[in-house]
Amino acid sequence: MTSNRTPYRPFRKRLAFAALLCSLPLLAYAQSYPAKPVRVVIPYPPGGPTDILGRIVAQGLSARLGQQFVVENKPGASGMIGADMVAKSPADGYTLLVNASLHVITPSLFLKMSHDPIKDFAPITQIAQVPLVLVVNQQNPAKSLKDIIAQAKAQPGKLAYASSGNGTAPHLAGEAFKMATGVDVPHVPYKGSAPALADIIGGHVTYMFDSLPSSTSFIKQGTLRPLAVSTTKRVGSLPDVPTVAESGIPNFDISTWYGVWAPAGTPKDILRKVSGEISAILKDPEVAKRIASMGSDPVGSTPEEFDAYARSEQVKFDRIVKASGAKAE
């Protein structure tokens, strides 16, 4: 008996051949990419960690791919102005976005946005992760996380914790800490880490989850005492400082991180090519050393890995924002 599928085999072959022909222009396009300068949009002012990491990546890509990757700073509105410009750019691989984790936090903080940080962007790779460290003034008697929790519970509403701004990872880490421990500690937002740390040192606020790079010098000077780091693993530069999870709050894992995106619809072969090149850049010993000197851990992930991570981070931060009532500045 003849199978009734036999007459369709030639048709299947023709379909497969047609699909191959359709994919050839895209493959050739990806192989020739980049054929002209590429814009690398950084939605913050020059000099900050996002700008520094973005320029490291752009310089590395220029050297490896033989084409200019030109950095453009487009600050404003918690990074949304620059991100919106990239979201509305052609999906051809010639406009990239380097942004911090605030990219996926903004939908939880702002009722109206002109772009969706997940749907309107194609993830390329995570560049780096920056642990947060809970610090207190050296004069504070607390020597551990349990000590600061005991202080807060003994004086409900009397202590205060600082952050570098409403809706930032340090702020949301502080709120997650409150929810996990049940302490009543008011939040005092500042316009960046520097003024917040000044008030920690001056004794005006009790503690702060701060980005490790901005606290490191004060920790080395002995002005600040680190009690715990916010990531699941200890930090190489502070090997004796336990994690929050080790200190009695399981599954606590909050950090600031940085990544690269393109407009949604950018050909996957281009995304993979750029991702692979950036991963190679991050593995260079000199680059890795430079990033480590900033208190950051270089990552380098595939587009698929970064997509899954960014989505999970958005869910986590959204839960914290809703539970805490955090608002944008």
Side-chain angles (χ1 to χ4, degrees), residues 9-301:
R9 285 178 184 166
F11 179 66
R12 283 204 202 97
K13 289 181 179 179
R14 286 197 296 272
L15 278 179
F17 184 67
L20 176 61
L21 288 177
C22 289
S23 69
L24 287 178
L26 289 176
L27 289 171
Y29 182 66
Q31 288 171 355
S32 63
Y33 172 89
K36 60 181 181 179
V38 179
R39 290 194 305 171
V40 180
V41 176
I42 297 173
Y44 306 103
T50 312
D51 179 69
I52 294 171
L53 288 169
R55 290 178 186 277
I56 290 173
V57 166
Q59 290 167 6
L61 288 172
S62 296
R64 291 181 65 85
L65 294 176
Q67 189 59 261
Q68 285 188 313
F69 282 72
V70 183
V71 170
E72 293 185 18
N73 295 91
K74 299 290 181 181
S78 298
M80 290 189 291
I81 290 176
D84 192 58
M85 186 180 77
V86 174
K88 293 175 171 57
S89 296
D92 57 6
Y94 288 94
T95 304
L96 306 178
L97 173 72
V98 175
N99 207 346
S101 45
L102 188 58
H103 181 67
V104 300
I105 300 174
T106 47
S108 303
L109 298 170
F110 294 88
L111 294 177
K112 292 183 179 180
M113 290 183 60
S114 54
H115 65 265
D116 185 306
I118 298 294
K119 294 179 182 178
D120 293 334
F121 294 86
I124 294 178
T125 191
Q126 183 182 353
I127 302 173
Q129 184 180 49
V130 182
L132 306 177
V133 57
L134 192 153
V135 292
V136 296
N137 187 304
Q138 192 63 252
Q139 278 69 52
N140 191 305
K143 298 295 192 294
S144 69
L145 204 63
K146 290 182 179 179
D147 290 343
I148 205 70
I149 294 170
Q151 279 187 23
K153 289 190 173 180
Q155 308 172 69
K158 300 292 185 181
L159 308 185
Y161 84 91
S163 83
S164 53
N166 281 317
T168 59
H171 172 205
L172 299 183
E175 291 301 314
F177 178 67
K178 286 168 60 176
M179 288 189 290
T181 59
V183 297
D184 176 13
V185 182
H187 169 229
V188 182
Y190 289 80
K191 297 287 186 180
S193 287
L197 290 173
D199 272 6
I200 293 279
I201 294 168
H204 303 296
V205 281
T206 311
Y207 66 85
M208 175 184 181
F209 278 96
D210 188 37
S211 177
L212 183 60
S214 58
S215 285
T216 297
S217 62
F218 297 105
I219 293 171
K220 289 181 178 178
Q221 293 167 13
T223 312
L224 294 175
R225 180 185 302 120
L227 301 184
V229 293
S230 66
T231 43
T232 55
K233 295 180 181 178
R234 293 195 183 197
V235 176
S237 59
L238 298 172
D240 297 328
V241 179
T243 66
V244 173
E246 286 176 320
S247 303
I249 304 175
N251 304 316
F252 195 98
D253 182 20
I254 296 178
S255 62
T256 299
W257 48 266
Y258 303 88
V260 186
W261 290 262
T266 300
K268 290 184 177 179
D269 286 331
I270 289 180
L271 300 178
R272 292 192 184 97
K273 183 173 185 176
V274 177
S275 173
E277 294 294 341
I278 293 175
S279 293
I281 292 165
L282 298 175
K283 290 176 183 176
D284 179 88
E286 288 301 315
V287 172
K289 183 179 179 180
R290 186 178 175 190
I291 292 175
S293 71
M294 298 169 58
S296 305
D297 296 321
V299 180
S301 51

